[in-house]
Each structure stands twice: as C-alpha cells, then as structure tokens.
C-alpha cells in the first residue's frame, strides 16, 4: 500500500473510533522548533558549551548536578524552561485537539515530554499524563517535603556561552535548600512522582470506562532510545484490543496488524486531517 493509502486507512480508523488515546515523544515538538536531543550530536548542537565539556544528555539529565554544580544544573534546566515558555505548539497540536474533541467518549494524552506543549495547545489539563514530570513544576532537591509547586514566576538568568545560571537560584520555600524541576532524571531517587501518579490514575480510570467502545491509539514522535511511550502504546493496544497508528519519520515499524506512517509529526497529523474531511 502506498503512503496515501496508509493515510486513508488511518483516517478511517480514527473516524470510526469512539475514543482516542494520543501518545507523544520528543519528535512531536521538532516541528515547533524545539531541539532534537536524538544522540549526542543533536544534543550538543543545541548546547555547544556542554559539547566542549564532553557532557552528554544522559550525563547532564542527572540530579547529581544540583549538588555538585547547581549553577550548571540550573543553567541547563533554566534554559529549557525559558525555551519551552517561549515556544508555541505547531498547528498539528490544534488539529489533533479538534479531532479528539469530536469523539463521544473523549480522549487522553500521554507524553514523556516535560515541556507543557499539550496544555499550551488547549488540551484539557485533566486529560494529560506527563510520565516524566514537568519543567514548569518545582520540588525541593532534598526533598524536605512532598510538595510540588508551580514555577511560573521564576526566571533563570543563563549565560549561554557557559550554560551557567546566575545566582540567586530557586530555593525550596520550606527549608531553603536548592529547588529543582519536578522532572524524572537518569539515576533519580529524589523525584516526587505523585503528580504524575495522579495523572496516570485518571488515565487508567478513563481507559477502564471504555469497555465495549472502539479505541484508537495514535503515537507520535516516540523513539526507541527511551521507549516509555512506545511501551505504553503497544501494551495498551494489546490489552485494549485497539488499533495503533504510529507516526514517526525514522522508527515507524509497528506490530503486525497496526498502521505505520513514516512521516514527521505535523505532516502526518495534517494529512490524516485532510483525509478525514473526505470521509
């Protein structure tokens, strides 16, 4: 089947669905202009000072920096915080939200991204799971309590030539220790997960309510390097007897009986939307 035929097949499945389960990895944000951290080269292109220091993404995304070099830790996360605040979601988010809003049994979005782009695009905050947390939420680095708070009023002054943040750095309002983003990092034993846990509980309650309904799963921009999203989409497809539509320009292979669209996020969503209008 040619690519247009696959697009039309995906559109038919979505048209017939009672509910949509949307899952997204980092690839969905590339069309919004967000950096692609795929491999060290992609990461270092976005952060040249870290290339000079020989620090990879997996090394940088580690809570130990908040103890050993807090200005570098907040330089990296502060830069990302402002980048995500300043970035507008591409139009594919709006198109996808409009498709989801038409479904009689609703939708849920599950993402490994910490950027808050789904919320910014108008998706219902009560129907989003951020499985790795959110850069817009903060916690104590110790942590002294289990409190998670919004950091909307926090601005980090970052020298992009060194990727170091200037003092003062964000502090815990309870104990005065260094604050950190409420993001799951590599080797992270201090991440407070209850915010994401509550999101997941709402998601599973919704999925359980769909017995006898036709669910379609749309996975966008999720790779194999950190396979959290792919695992969730494939396991949900099997458990819920749901068709999986995978949109990914590089790693679009799917289990037998499902739909593979080897396209970037915006192009894939736009083409499905155009095909839907003809049905």
């Amino acid at each position: 089947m040619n690519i247009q035929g696959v697009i039309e097949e995906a559109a038919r499945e979505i048209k017939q669905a009672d509910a949509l389960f949307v899952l997204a990895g980092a690839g969905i944000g590339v069309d919004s202009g967000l950096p692609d951290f795929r491999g060290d080269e992609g990461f270092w292109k976005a952060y040249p000072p870290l290339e000079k220091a020989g620090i990879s993404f997996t090394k940088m995304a580690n809570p130990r920096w908040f103890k050993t070099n807090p200005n570098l830790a907040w330089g990296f996360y502060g830069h990302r915080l402002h980048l995500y605040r300043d970035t507008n979601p591409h139009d594919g988010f709006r198109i996808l939200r409009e498709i989801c809003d038409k479904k009689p049994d609703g939708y849920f979005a599950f993402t490994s991204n910490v950027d808050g782009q789904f919320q910014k695009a108008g998706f219902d905050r009560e129907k989003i799971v951020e499985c790795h947390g959110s850069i817009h939420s903060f916690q104590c680095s110790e942590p002294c309590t289990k409190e998670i708070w919004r950091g909307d009023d926090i601005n980090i002054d970052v020298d992009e030539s060194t990727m170091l943040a200037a003092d003062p750095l964000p502090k815990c309002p309870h104990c005065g220790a260094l604050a950190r983003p409420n993001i799951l990092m590599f080797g992270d034993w201090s991440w407070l997960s209850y915010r994401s846990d509550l999101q997941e509980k709402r998601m599973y309650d919704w999925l359980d309510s769909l017995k006898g309904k036709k669910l379609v799963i749309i996975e966008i921009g999720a790779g194999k390097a950190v396979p959290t999203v792919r695992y969730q989409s494939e396991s949900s497809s099997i458990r819920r007897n749901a068709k999986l539509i995978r949109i990914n320009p590089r790693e679009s292979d799917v289990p037998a009986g499902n739909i593979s669209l080897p396209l970037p996020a915006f192009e894939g969503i736009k083409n499905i939307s155009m095909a839907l209008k003809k049905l």
Side-chain angles (χ1 to χ4, degrees):
M1 188 184 297
N2 61 27
I3 189 70
Q4 186 58 36
V6 177
I7 290 167
E8 291 169 1
E9 181 187 5
R12 284 193 296 272
E13 290 290 339
I14 292 169
K15 177 78 172 177
Q16 296 165 7
D18 297 306
L20 296 175
F21 188 19
V22 176
L23 301 98
I28 196 173
V30 172
D31 290 323
S32 299
L34 294 176
D36 182 0
F37 291 165
R38 180 184 171 88
D40 289 342
E41 288 185 7
F43 176 64
W44 285 335
K45 183 179 179 181
Y47 295 100
L50 300 182
E51 179 182 17
K52 187 175 181 181
I55 302 173
S56 66
F57 174 70
T58 53
K59 287 183 180 178
M60 189 68 245
N62 189 299
R64 68 183 177 88
W65 294 105
F66 288 95
K67 294 185 183 298
T68 62
N69 194 337
N71 296 86
L72 179 62
W74 266 115
F76 174 57
Y77 283 104
H79 181 272
R80 291 176 67 192
L81 174 64
H82 291 297
L83 174 65
Y84 297 151
R85 283 177 180 171
D86 294 342
T87 299
N88 290 318
H90 61 76
D91 208 36
F93 279 92
R94 177 192 60 79
I95 295 168
L96 189 60
R97 192 197 74 232
E98 290 176 353
I99 293 170
C100 288
D101 283 340
K102 293 176 181 176
K103 291 302 163 187
D105 291 283
Y107 69 88
F108 232 93
F110 178 100
T111 182
S112 58
N113 300 332
V114 301
D115 51 29
Q117 293 280 288
F118 275 97
Q119 290 92 331
K120 206 170 186 179
F123 282 78
D124 187 338
R125 291 174 181 270
E126 297 296 304
K127 297 177 180 178
I128 300 170
V129 176
E130 296 159 297
C131 65
H132 292 166
S134 170
I135 201 166
H136 306 288
S137 295
F138 290 12
Q139 64 166 84
C140 179
S141 61
E142 294 300 330
C144 68
T145 72
K146 292 185 177 181
E147 183 180 350
I148 298 170
W149 65 93
R150 291 286 296 183
D152 297 336
D153 58 343
I154 300 294
N155 291 297
I156 313 295
D157 182 12
V158 180
D159 182 343
E160 293 189 22
S161 68
T162 61
M163 204 47 62
L164 294 175
D167 293 322
L169 302 175
K171 303 293 183 184
C172 171
H174 298 289
C175 71
L178 189 69
R180 52 161 278 187
N182 180 234
I183 292 174
L184 177 61
M185 304 175 196
F186 294 98
D188 196 349
W189 298 102
S190 59
W191 180 56
L192 298 175
S193 67
Y194 77 82
R195 178 177 174 274
S196 296
D197 293 340
L198 287 172
Q199 292 176 335
E200 286 203 7
K201 183 183 184 304
R202 287 196 294 267
M203 179 191 78
Y204 284 118
D205 287 346
W206 172 76
L207 285 169
D208 288 342
S209 75
L210 297 176
K211 290 177 181 176
K213 303 290 187 176
K214 180 175 173 60
L215 174 69
V216 169
I217 298 170
I218 308 172
E219 181 202 281
I220 307 166
K224 297 178 180 178
V226 181
T228 312
V229 172
R230 292 175 78 100
Y231 173 78
Q232 180 68 49
S233 64
E234 291 183 9
S235 60
S236 296
S237 174
I238 294 169
R239 285 200 303 268
R240 313 284 170 175
N241 192 29
K243 183 75 73 174
L244 166 62
I245 301 168
R246 174 166 287 151
I247 304 172
N248 193 312
R250 300 190 192 97
E251 299 171 330
S252 63
D253 54 294
V254 290
N258 293 289
I259 299 173
S260 165
L261 266 179
L263 296 172
F266 175 64
E267 186 179 349
I269 296 166
K270 180 185 70 174
N271 278 289
I272 287 173
S273 174
M274 291 171 63
L276 274 169
K277 291 174 182 177
K278 296 176 182 178
L279 294 177

